[in-house]
Amino acid sequence: MREYKAIKKNIIATTVIKTPLGDMFCAATNKGICLLSFFGQKNLEDQIQRVQEFFKAEAIPAHNKYFECLQKEMNEYFEGKRGDFTVPLQLVGTSFQQSVWKVLMAIPYAETISYKEEATLLKNPNASRAVGSANGKNMISIIIPCHRVIQTGGKLGGYAGGLDKKEALLELENNHSCDIIRKNHSHEH
């Protein structure tokens, strides 16, 4: 009698993260969050496909140890009690895209920079368009804060989740920035 080995399929766990701006689709591996995007975002299906291809896995609703932490941190962010996230991330992108996203994560809470300034921080001041394109490929909204990048003249520029959400996120951060700064300084003493 022949024995058949079960073929174990790689799984990416997915869930819904609730926010005041609408529900977000979230995916995670055993190493961290790899996708966090608003439902209704026009490139969400492409993002799910990219994640599945990158990990050679299927994205299905399942439990992941990072989901509870992420929901808690998102709640605190929207309550104006959190400026930085601690939940682990697993970035899916080229090395250039990942370097752009790391610059994004260094933009302080409630501050904005231009695409040109972002390119300069990458030590490539002529790469504004490439930087803008990499920002558009960011698959972890809010935590990798591409909403903090605006055009040189002060206009909002693009945002995959929609300009209404970008405006709301910037307004939220501006309204709570003093609370976050005070909270962070009180922990230092």
Side-chain angles (χ1 to χ4, degrees):
M1 201 162 147
R2 292 173 71 183
E3 279 188 43
Y4 292 96
K5 283 191 176 176
I7 298 170
K8 191 174 179 196
K9 195 168 181 87
N10 290 328
I11 298 296
I12 300 163
T14 67
T15 195
V16 175
I17 297 295
K18 303 276 186 193
T19 81
L21 294 181
D23 291 351
M24 298 183 81
F25 180 86
C26 181
T29 68
N30 60 356
K31 292 184 179 167
I33 303 297
C34 60
L35 175 58
L36 181 64
S37 289
F38 287 100
F39 279 103
Q41 198 168 301
K42 61 182 175 277
N43 63 346
L44 179 57
E45 290 298 321
D46 291 340
Q47 290 180 338
I48 295 167
Q49 194 62 42
R50 277 181 27 221
V51 165
Q52 289 183 124
E53 287 170 8
F54 186 85
F55 294 111
K56 294 176 180 52
E58 185 180 357
I60 60 167
H63 174 75
N64 181 283
K65 60 184 175 183
Y66 299 118
F67 290 157
E68 197 174 306
C69 174
L70 174 63
Q71 183 66 70
K72 178 181 179 290
E73 291 189 356
M74 290 295 282
N75 292 347
E76 291 169 353
Y77 170 81
F78 279 101
E79 291 165 5
K81 298 174 182 170
R82 174 171 293 280
D84 298 303
F85 293 86
T86 63
V87 67
L89 306 179
Q90 192 163 24
L91 305 181
V92 176
T94 66
S95 56
F96 175 74
Q97 289 167 343
Q98 290 189 33
S99 66
V100 168
W101 301 333
K102 286 177 180 159
V103 167
L104 289 173
M105 288 189 280
I107 303 169
Y109 182 88
E111 290 188 20
T112 57
I113 65 172
S114 70
Y115 294 98
K116 187 168 182 55
E117 289 169 320
E118 187 180 3
T120 302
L121 288 170
L122 270 171
K123 301 187 180 11
N124 198 344
N126 297 324
S128 295
R129 277 181 191 259
V131 161
S133 175
N135 285 358
K137 297 266 193 293
N138 171 24
M139 294 196 290
I140 305 176
S141 296
I142 301 174
I143 299 173
I144 300 178
C146 52
H147 63 275
R148 294 181 188 152
V149 182
I150 59 173
Q151 293 176 352
T152 304
K155 287 189 177 161
L156 288 184
Y159 188 63
L163 287 182
D164 57 330
K165 288 184 176 60
K166 182 172 187 170
E167 193 170 3
L169 291 168
L170 292 172
E171 192 174 312
L172 170 95
E173 291 184 11
N174 283 328
N175 290 340
H176 290 290
S177 61
C178 291
D179 301 338
I180 295 285
I181 291 165
R182 255 187 248 113
K183 183 177 171 245
N184 289 344
H185 287 300
S186 68
H187 288 296
E188 291 170 8
H189 302 296

